[in-house]
Amino acid sequence: MTQAPETLPASNDPCWCGSGRKYKRCHKGTEGRIQPGVISPMRYVPDTIAKPPYADTGVVPRYDESRVKSADVIERMRVAGAAASEILRRAGEFVRPGITTDEIDIFVHDLTIEMGGYPSPLNYHGYPKSVCTSVNEVICHGIPDSRVLEDGDIVNLDVTIYLNGVHGDTNGTFAVGNISQEDRNLIRVTEECLWYGIEAVKPGVSINEIGRAIEVHAKKHKYGIVRAFIGHGIGENFHTDIQVLHYYDPRNTMILREGMTFTIEPMITASGEFRHKMWDDDWTAVTADGSRTAQFEHTMVVTSDGVDVLTAGPGAVSPCAPWNR
Ligand code: MF3
Ligand code: CO
Ligand code: CO
């Protein structure tokens, strides 16, 4: 039996799955949670596509990249950012009940290559797929597999393209069919959190103002902010040393300077939980209490008087941030 029955056994009774083990040592607590599916073999990228240094080995080399970028790097990041934005938008339109997350991976993989880029996640520290697909209580880095998306699921798609020698990183959470009002609120507020963080970005300001702005908004809704995963510097390398916490930390005092490029990518939980657990695959992070979670991400550059969001796409701004309604 693969589906749990309506009435669950007592802790010390045999598990409903037929394993013969006690329920408490077997499926207890897994009902209603996402289960890992089958991961298909790694997909191929043609030799005509310029690849990042880890593509063939899975080993990410030590980098030496300045936090403030040249005009040339920023221009290339603008192009990569626009491409990432388009891929995310089209992948989001592709989401519907009945498809597997592996089919989303094929879609993103092929579209990235069609646009002349390499899907940055593929073989990054050995990650086996071209996009991260994080369903319901999965916080981030969910691996596309044979699991079928069901009506009422929410799924985060995290797209990164390596194009012209630089990375563009963006993600968003999408509804699968009809979702609950609670899930709609969670998704809306999470995107608002991202944009409150973005609004805090200006040269001369401490980087912890980003986390402060996000925390104020999440707390207003009694939501939790996942602590273990943070925004990051980005450029010729996927992840560089700038650390963008999504909550306020007085020790996080780096001053933002014109030309710095990084992501903001808050992961917000419905229950207020801020801790995570890892699946045995060592990639998939889930909320410790099984609560649903949403995430949105943009890549940006600090300008002379504010911020330029490189992955915002045409029309530029969040459809749901309060100042755009
Ligand atoms: N795109 C993710 C981020 O926002 C990183 C994914 S790493 C991978 O930082 F290996 F899981 F792809
Ligand atoms: Co990122
Ligand atoms: Co990302």
Side-chain angles (χ1 to χ4, degrees), residues 244-294:
V244 186
L245 276 50
H246 301 120
Y247 53 90
Y248 180 68
D249 184 337
R251 296 163 300 184
N252 192 219
T253 55
M254 189 195 81
I255 300 299
L256 297 175
R257 299 283 171 220
E258 181 178 355
M260 286 181 171
T261 53
F262 53 84
T263 71
I264 304 178
E265 47 184 298
M267 285 140 274
I268 303 296
T269 71
S271 66
E273 178 62 87
F274 55 87
R275 297 161 308 162
H276 75 286
K277 287 192 223 164
M278 295 299 292
W279 279 8
D280 290 340
D281 63 15
D282 272 342
W283 281 108
T284 309
V286 295
T287 54
D289 66 355
S291 166
R292 288 198 173 192
T293 172

Side-chain angles (χ1 to χ4, degrees), residues 9-15 21-24:
S11 289
N12 288 315
D13 286 348
C15 188
R21 301 195 312 172
K22 282 186 180 178
Y23 174 53
K24 70 176 182 196

Side-chain angles (χ1 to χ4, degrees), residues 53-123:
Y54 54 83
D56 293 324
T57 60
V59 178
V60 178
R62 285 182 63 91
Y63 63 85
D64 171 29
E65 179 171 353
S66 73
R67 288 177 172 176
V68 172
K69 308 304 184 204
S70 66
D72 163 64
V73 168
I74 293 170
E75 220 26 68
R76 286 186 282 135
M77 288 185 72
R78 196 178 300 288
V79 175
S85 164
E86 181 176 345
I87 296 164
L88 178 63
R89 182 180 56 77
R90 288 169 62 178
E93 287 167 7
F94 183 69
V95 167
R96 60 182 182 275
I99 63 168
T100 65
T101 49
D102 194 48
E103 288 175 86
I104 298 173
D105 181 70
I106 297 171
F107 183 89
V108 169
H109 180 89
D110 291 349
L111 182 55
T112 303
I113 290 167
E114 199 182 298
M115 294 177 75
Y118 178 92
S120 308
L122 189 61
N123 216 15

Side-chain angles (χ1 to χ4, degrees), residues 130-321:
S130 298
V131 61
C132 299
T133 55
S134 302
V135 181
N136 298 348
E137 77 272 17
V138 180
I139 295 165
C140 62
H141 304 162
I143 302 173
D145 65 17
S146 59
R147 184 184 179 278
V148 173
L149 292 177
E150 293 171 14
D151 189 67
D153 284 343
I154 59 173
V155 61
N156 176 275
L157 307 182
D158 194 340
V159 167
T160 313
I161 188 173
Y162 180 73
L163 187 63
N164 301 323
V166 295
H167 298 266
D169 187 7
T170 182
N171 77 49
T173 301
F174 300 88
V176 182
N178 292 308
I179 62 170
S180 68
Q181 188 58 47
E182 292 91 275
D183 286 347
R184 273 199 289 274
N185 292 345
L186 175 66
I187 290 173
R188 176 177 54 79
V189 172
T190 303
E191 191 170 14
E192 288 170 358
C193 282
L194 168 58
W195 282 93
Y196 278 110
I198 291 170
E199 287 282 303
V201 175
K202 279 174 202 63
V205 159
S206 167
I207 198 163
N208 63 22
E209 293 300 330
I210 297 171
R212 194 205 297 266
I214 293 169
E215 185 169 328
V216 165
H217 193 55
K219 281 204 169 142
K220 200 182 328 168
H221 294 270
K222 301 198 166 57
Y223 288 151
I225 300 169
V226 174
R227 296 210 155 222
F229 301 93
I230 62 180
H232 51 90
I234 183 169
E236 296 174 290
N237 293 278
F238 196 168
H239 296 98
T240 67
D241 65 349
I242 295 176
Q243 301 196 344
V244 186
L245 276 50
H246 301 120
Y247 53 90
Y248 180 68
D249 184 337
R251 296 163 300 184
N252 192 219
T253 55
M254 189 195 81
I255 300 299
L256 297 175
R257 299 283 171 220
E258 181 178 355
M260 286 181 171
T261 53
F262 53 84
T263 71
I264 304 178
E265 47 184 298
M267 285 140 274
I268 303 296
T269 71
S271 66
E273 178 62 87
F274 55 87
R275 297 161 308 162
H276 75 286
K277 287 192 223 164
M278 295 299 292
W279 279 8
D280 290 340
D281 63 15
D282 272 342
W283 281 108
T284 309
V286 295
T287 54
D289 66 355
S291 166
R292 288 198 173 192
T293 172
Q295 182 181 22
F296 284 82
E297 172 176 30
H298 278 307
T299 296
M300 63 207 73
V301 57
V302 183
T303 62
S304 59
D305 62 348
V307 60
D308 196 352
V309 183
L310 301 174
T311 49
V317 272
S318 161
C320 64

